[in-house]
C-alpha cells in the first residue's frame, strides 16, 4: 500500500528595516509508512522552525552590507511501530522514529570586503538523537551523539577584481 501524508503548516513573517523573523509551526501525519519493503504503520511529526536574518552597514568602505542568519528547528517524530531486533518483527510501540535530531541550529555570518573579497563563517549544531529502530544498537541504549561543525571561507572573486582594476586605469 502506498504511503499517505497529511501536512499542516502555520507561518508568520515579520520584516523590519534591518531584520526578518520567520516562524513556522508544522504537523504531519503519515499512514502506511514503508520500511524494509513493508507497511509498518503510522508516524506523527510536529515541530517549530525559526529563521532570523539581519543586515547592517559594513564599516569597510566600498563594501556591501554585513549579513547574518540564524536557523533553529525543533522536531518531534513518533512512530506507532518499532522494529524488535531480537524477534526480527515490527511491534506496536509508540516511540521516537529515530535518526531525526530534535534540535538543530545553524548560524551564518557573511562579511563582504570591498568588491572582491568575502569572508563567510557558518556553524551547525545537531543534538543527540535516537537511532532508527532497525538499528540493533538502539536496543542497547546507544544514541547518535550531538555534534558541532564550523566552516569558514575567504573568497576572492577575480572577475570583480578585474573590473575594479580596469575602471581605475
Amino acid at each position: 500500500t502506498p504511503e499517505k501524508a497529511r501536512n499542516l503548516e502555520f507561518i508568520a513573517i515579520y520584516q523590519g528595516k534591518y531584520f526578518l523573523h520567520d516562524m513556522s509551526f508544522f504537523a504531519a501525519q503519515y499512514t502506511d509508512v514503508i520500511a524494509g519493503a513493508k507497511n509498518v504503520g503510522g508516524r506523527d511529526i510536529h515541530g517549530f522552525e525559526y529563521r532570523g536574518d539581519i543586515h547592517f552597514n559594513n564599516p569597510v568602505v566600498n563594501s556591501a552590507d554585513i549579513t547574518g542568519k540564524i536557523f533553529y528547528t525543533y522536531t518531534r517524530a513518533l512512530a506507532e511501530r518499532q522494529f524488535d531486533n531480537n524477534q526480527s518483527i515490527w511491534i506496536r510501540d509508540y516511540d521516537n522514529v529515530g535518526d531525526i535530531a530534535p534540535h538543530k541550529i545553524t548560524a551564518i555570518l557573511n562579511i563582504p570586503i570591498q568588491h572582491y573579497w568575502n569572508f563567510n563563517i557558518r556553524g551547525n549544531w545537531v543534538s543527540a538523537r535516537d537511532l532508527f529502530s532497525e538499528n540493533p544498537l538502539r536496543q542497547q541504549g546507544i544514541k547518535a551523539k550531538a555534534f558541532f561543525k564550523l566552516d569558514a571561507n575567504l573568497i576572492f572573486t577575480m572577475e570583480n577584481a578585474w573590473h575594479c582594476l580596469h575602471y581605475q586605469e
Side-chain angles (χ1 to χ4, degrees):
T1 305
E3 288 185 2
K4 294 182 184 117
R6 293 190 312 183
N7 298 303
L8 178 65
E9 285 188 69
F10 173 77
I11 300 169
I13 299 172
Y14 177 78
Q15 184 164 0
K17 185 175 179 181
Y18 298 104
F19 59 86
L20 174 128
H21 299 284
D22 179 336
M23 294 169 277
S24 66
F25 296 89
F26 59 89
Q29 286 186 318
Y30 295 86
T31 56
D32 297 319
V33 171
I34 299 170
K38 291 182 179 183
N39 291 108
V40 296
R43 303 228 168 112
D44 294 314
I45 300 171
H46 63 273
F48 167 78
E49 292 181 322
Y50 170 78
R51 182 185 92 190
D53 289 357
I54 188 168
H55 67 93
F56 49 93
N57 292 333
N58 192 331
V60 178
V61 178
N62 295 324
S63 299
D65 284 352
I66 294 173
T67 58
K69 296 179 184 293
I70 189 159
F71 302 92
Y72 169 75
T73 303
Y74 166 76
T75 305
R76 176 84 167 142
L78 299 168
E80 90 180 72
R81 294 177 184 264
Q82 304 294 321
F83 191 76
D84 184 323
N85 284 288
N86 294 328
Q87 300 179 58
S88 295
I89 60 169
W90 288 90
I91 59 171
R92 189 170 296 279
D93 180 14
Y94 201 69
D95 200 357
N96 287 329
V97 170
D99 290 343
I100 298 174
H103 304 279
K104 297 178 196 169
I105 299 172
T106 298
I108 304 166
L109 182 63
N110 193 61
I111 305 170
I113 305 166
Q114 302 220 326
H115 299 289
Y116 36 86
W117 288 99
N118 193 73
F119 178 69
N120 180 278
I121 188 166
R122 173 187 303 247
N124 299 90
W125 175 78
V126 176
S127 68
R129 60 213 173 277
D130 290 332
L131 300 173
F132 189 63
S133 66
E134 284 184 293
N135 188 329
L137 297 175
R138 181 172 174 167
Q139 288 182 315
Q140 297 174 25
I142 296 173
K143 290 186 173 206
K145 293 181 180 179
F147 66 89
F148 177 74
K149 180 179 132 185
L150 184 67
D151 295 311
N153 297 288
L154 182 60
I155 302 163
F156 178 77
T157 307
M158 183 63 110
E159 183 177 331
N160 290 348
W162 174 255
H163 287 299
C164 288
L165 290 172
H166 179 71
Y167 292 122
Q168 289 176 1
E169 291 178 0

